[in-house]
Amino acid sequence: MNVDFEHLREFYARGASVREIFNLGVRYRAEGRKPIDLSIGNPDVKPPPAYYRALREVVKECEHSSENLHRYMPNAGFPEVRRRVAAELAVELDVPFEPRHVMITAGAANALDIVIATLLWRREQEPGVAGKAGEAGEQRDTTPEALLVAPYFPEYETLIRGQHARCRAVAATADYRLDLEAIEAAIGPATRLLVLNSPNNPTGAVYTAEELSALADLLIRKRDELGTAVVVLEDSPYHRIVFGEHQFAPMVKHYPYTVFVSSLSKSLGLAGERIGYLAAHPQLAAGEESSAVFSAALSAALRMRVVNAPALQQRVLARIGIGPHVDPREYERRAVALGQILAPLGFRFAYPQGGFYLFAEIPERFQDENEFRAVMHAGEDPLLYVPGTVFGGEAYRRSVRLSACVPEAEIQRAGAKLSSALA
Ligand code: PLP
């Protein structure tokens, strides 16, 4: 008798869909076909020379030090790195962060995971502590809820459901802005968390300071009504990839119950090196004691997962800080080129204001996305993209996410494929 893993299939399949398409590309290549892969957002702009200079210095320092500089460190990161990140974020986001509010993480994904695990943890999850079957009054549903603005990055759902919490999706407006009325209506006594993502994956929306300030007013009103505040998890790994006249506006500046998350994955093209950070607003955990408990819990969650963020990358961060970044215009040019291909072919979309992606509705001549996919995957040059349903279900069944984070030649190949298939 083999071990049965069938029960894992449905749960882990959710967030895996983007990877599956990536793997499909690997299969097509093995078959000798030449896929045009606009599925995954794998940053292809290289880090600037300052990064490599610092990396060389760090390697030299480690090699020649009498000490072993590759050892364990405090789980939340080297103190000097937390100091530097806190100081830079305080200026950039206009929030008085101190080093104790900042943690260095293995990318934004690790930060999201530990914040979600910490905020949604509850005693009732533990067997033998509560929920004793059959006892009157123990059947109360205490399941916490997290709100997601749809369409949304599917990993949020996996992380939240992994904590046995419920996700409630609140659709964005038709032009992918925040629907404040819908958010207000969705908040109830079980709501613990609202995940906000700007610049947005998949829509490319960058929320304005006005939108975020109105959202903050609403959340404060709800706090007063419900007696407890909803925490905003501000996931902004694309915050340096913003186009044209648009500007990144941070929610953490407007709303004190916010944890800001970002990474160097996109800003420096270091996605494979796993280095990122979080900063919890100083007023989020009010008082010394509460603040100490919250950071100890986050540190423990980090320790349980990756122990600490990579030492070498942290030492680079200590030298260059979080300021240096790739030129967002490189990505903007590609997004515009892709948009210029799609618009005349009948796709409906808003040009992205930042990030890596373009989220478009397929032309009306296709009955559904299956029909579109059959055409796109046919031939020697299958065009790979992520179906819209991955980002929030059936409401997005006529949408597709195309990554503009590929070399310009790939966008031109996509153009040729689309034009000949849709002519
Ligand atoms: N959040 C969003 C919206 C993303 O698109 C990604 C990566 O694609 C992440 C988080 C994870 O980023 P990181 O590589 O820093 O973990």
Side-chain angles (χ1 to χ4, degrees):
M1 185 84 143
N2 291 326
V3 180
D4 180 7
F5 293 118
E6 198 49 38
H7 61 295
L8 301 175
R9 186 190 298 279
E10 186 262 339
F11 178 68
Y12 285 99
R14 279 170 188 267
S17 345
V18 178
R19 278 274 155 184
E20 267 169 28
I21 298 157
F22 183 74
N23 293 338
L24 201 58
V26 174
R27 201 185 84 198
Y28 287 157
R29 268 180 219 103
E31 290 169 2
R33 298 161 81 193
K34 294 193 172 64
I36 307 159
D37 192 351
L38 305 191
S39 64
I40 204 168
N42 204 354
D44 71 321
V45 178
K46 280 182 67 174
Y51 171 76
Y52 292 104
R53 254 195 318 273
L55 188 61
R56 273 196 302 274
E57 284 169 20
V58 166
V59 170
K60 213 186 257 173
E61 182 193 351
C62 291
E63 189 181 358
H64 297 292
S65 167
S66 57
E67 280 177 75
N68 176 7
L69 298 184
H70 306 285
R71 291 172 299 178
Y72 292 123
M73 69 189 76
N75 304 113
F78 286 123
E80 66 274 21
V81 182
R82 296 172 76 189
R83 246 193 325 272
R84 178 151 190 179
V85 173
E88 291 188 15
L89 280 179
V91 174
E92 184 183 343
L93 305 180
D94 197 15
V95 174
F97 293 116
E98 291 170 26
R100 66 196 165 102
H101 304 122
V102 167
M103 274 173 202
I104 311 303
T105 60
N110 176 219
L112 295 175
D113 186 19
I114 66 174
V115 173
I116 286 171
T118 303
L119 291 173
L120 298 182
W121 184 84
R122 63 200 190 284
R123 190 167 281 131
E124 290 86 336
Q125 278 177 15
E126 298 211 319
V129 175
K132 294 172 215 148
E135 277 189 28
E138 290 286 352
Q139 301 302 325
R140 198 164 52 92
D141 182 4
T142 55
T143 309
E145 260 183 27
L147 301 185
L148 303 175
V149 179
Y152 54 81
F153 179 54
E155 294 296 342
Y156 300 145
E157 202 181 322
T158 312
L159 293 173
I160 292 162
R161 292 183 66 218
Q163 292 303 313
H164 311 284
R166 239 191 313 267
C167 291
R168 185 180 290 270
V170 182
T173 62
D175 55 352
Y176 302 126
R177 312 309 305 177
L178 297 172
D179 185 337
L180 296 185
E181 272 178 35
I183 292 175
E184 182 153 16
I187 295 175
T191 317
R192 297 278 168 280
L193 199 62
L194 165 63
V195 184
L196 213 59
N197 173 219
S198 173
N200 191 273
N201 172 8
T203 68
V206 175
Y207 303 134
T208 63
E210 291 71 31
E211 282 174 292
L212 297 176
S213 150
L215 175 62
D217 291 347
L218 175 171
L219 292 174
I220 294 290
R221 216 168 41 243
K222 279 291 183 187
R223 177 201 65 181
D224 295 344
E225 199 180 292
L226 295 167
T228 177
V230 173
V231 174
V232 169
L233 177 51
E234 179 169 33
D235 178 32
S236 288
Y238 301 92
H239 85 287
R240 306 226 184 270
I241 315 289
V242 177
F243 305 153
E245 78 280 11
H246 299 286
Q247 276 183 356
F248 173 72
M251 179 65 175
V252 67
K253 177 177 170 177
H254 297 282
Y255 184 63
Y257 308 99
T258 301
V259 182
F260 178 84
V261 165
S262 193
S263 74
L264 307 190
S265 293
K266 330 286 177 181
S267 64
L268 277 182
L270 292 178
E273 302 295 350
R274 312 311 303 141
I275 181 85
Y277 49 90
L278 68 80
H281 193 289
Q283 287 168 38
L284 171 62
E288 285 287 313
E289 237 169 83
S290 160
S291 171
V293 170
F294 185 53
S295 21
L298 285 174
S299 282
L302 192 78
R303 185 187 78 234
M304 289 189 284
R305 285 157 174 81
V306 294
V307 182
N308 55 248
L312 210 61
Q313 298 302 328
Q314 288 202 46
R315 293 188 189 283
V316 174
L317 196 49
R319 284 179 147 75
I320 64 175
I322 56 172
H325 55 84
V326 299
D327 185 350
R329 287 173 303 184
E330 296 250 6
Y331 289 117
E332 182 178 8
R333 268 195 292 278
R334 298 157 193 213
V336 169
L338 187 58
Q340 285 170 345
I341 290 166
L342 298 177
L345 295 173
F347 288 85
R348 290 181 41 217
F349 60 92
Y351 273 94
Q353 300 170 339
F356 285 173
Y357 310 101
L358 199 151
F359 198 60
E361 278 182 36
I362 56 175
E364 276 167 19
R365 54 186 277 188
F366 294 100
Q367 203 172 352
D368 55 29
E369 191 266 323
N370 282 335
E371 193 184 322
F372 177 70
R373 193 185 318 182
V375 175
M376 289 301 115
H377 282 219
E380 282 308 294
D381 51 355
L383 175 65
L384 306 178
Y385 58 82
V386 184
T389 47
V390 166
F391 304 96
E394 282 304 299
Y396 306 101
R397 67 184 175 278
R398 293 196 60 82
S399 297
V400 292
R401 189 196 76 174
L402 300 161
S403 170
C405 145
V406 293
E408 286 188 33
E410 282 298 280
I411 293 185
Q412 294 320 316
R413 285 182 70 215
K417 167 88 180 180
L418 284 160
S419 306
S420 75
L422 305 188

